[in-house]
Amino acid sequence: MHNLYVKVCGLRKPAEVEAAVAGGASAVGFILTTSPRRLTAAEARPLAALVPPGVAKVAVFRGEPLEEVRRAAAEAGADTVQLHGGEPPEAFAALRADGFRLIRATSPRSGDPLATGAYGEDMLIIDSPRPGSGERWSPESLPEPPTGSWVLSGGLSPDNVVDAVAALRPWGVDVSSGVESGRGVKDVGLIEKFLAAVGAPGGLDRTR
């Protein structure tokens, strides 16, 4: 289980960020789009300031206009942008020019390519059709095997992540609802348990 890239997403409080960092997370995510876990860019900025070098600070968007993404990600202090809304390759190119690292998120049945880098992104997240819902998706729903630096997301928890990784062999994992005590409410103990289960920190620095 070592050497996985591990992202803990939907963080809203300093204690949550500190637990993720202390547990060896590769990345922390701040949701700047419609969600029970939504933050404003101004709210995310002091949280991002708690994150040390070597841990990615990811601003997550879904369907916002490109100029809003650029403005909010910069204001939040993010170094990585995750796009969930089927944005075109041109949006990724524009954000790359701004200096952001890029994550493209999709689902098995979206029809989008499942090859990492198809839109110029650094990482590919394969999530359930309803992101943030905590729903698992079936490996049988994949039209083709994902390639490159792809991250498994959707319904992962401390109790099932080891088996999920063994079955699908992703490059990384992404968790949000699976470390919550209620919808949108993170549980520091569950964050610690999840990171311990996946063996973070890994031996590879996958934030670079």
Side-chain angles (χ1 to χ4, degrees):
M1 294 296 291
H2 284 274
N3 301 345
L4 276 179
Y5 175 96
V6 185
K7 176 168 160 277
V8 184
C9 202
L11 302 181
R12 301 176 69 196
K13 296 179 180 178
E16 300 164 1
V17 175
E18 290 161 359
V21 168
S26 313
V28 295
F30 307 110
I31 297 182
L32 306 185
T33 190
T34 303
S35 165
R37 308 165 186 94
R38 184 172 193 163
L39 295 173
T40 65
E43 290 168 336
R45 189 172 187 86
L47 297 176
L50 299 173
V51 180
V55 178
K57 298 171 283 191
V58 184
V60 179
F61 299 91
R62 189 180 193 194
E64 283 75 23
L66 176 60
E67 288 310 312
E68 169 62 15
V69 171
R70 298 170 97 166
R71 183 203 63 76
E75 183 183 343
D79 52 36
T80 304
V81 170
Q82 177 177 324
L83 297 180
H84 256 280
E87 290 83 356
E90 292 77 17
F92 288 87
L95 290 161
R96 170 79 68 201
D98 287 348
F100 292 110
R101 289 177 59 78
L102 302 170
I103 301 174
R104 176 170 62 93
T106 188
S107 69
R109 293 195 176 97
S110 65
D112 295 337
L114 299 183
T116 306
Y119 285 18
E121 73 277 7
D122 299 286
M123 276 173 268
L124 175 68
I125 287 179
I126 302 180
D127 200 350
S128 65
R130 292 198 304 139
S133 65
E135 295 173 354
R136 303 278 309 267
W137 51 267
S138 166
E140 289 72 39
S141 64
L142 286 169
E144 61 192 76
T147 61
S149 302
W150 77 274
V151 176
L152 174 64
S153 187
L156 296 178
S157 72
D159 297 325
N160 66 26
V161 65
V162 172
D163 288 343
V165 169
L168 284 162
R169 298 290 176 188
W171 179 82
V173 292
D174 180 28
V175 68
S176 183
S177 59
V179 290
E180 292 180 346
S181 57
R183 188 142 172 81
V185 182
K186 289 290 183 289
D187 182 310
V188 166
L190 288 175
I191 292 173
E192 293 169 345
K193 189 176 178 184
F194 186 91
L195 290 166
V198 295
L204 296 179
D205 179 6
R206 285 185 166 170
T207 61
R208 292 283 170 250

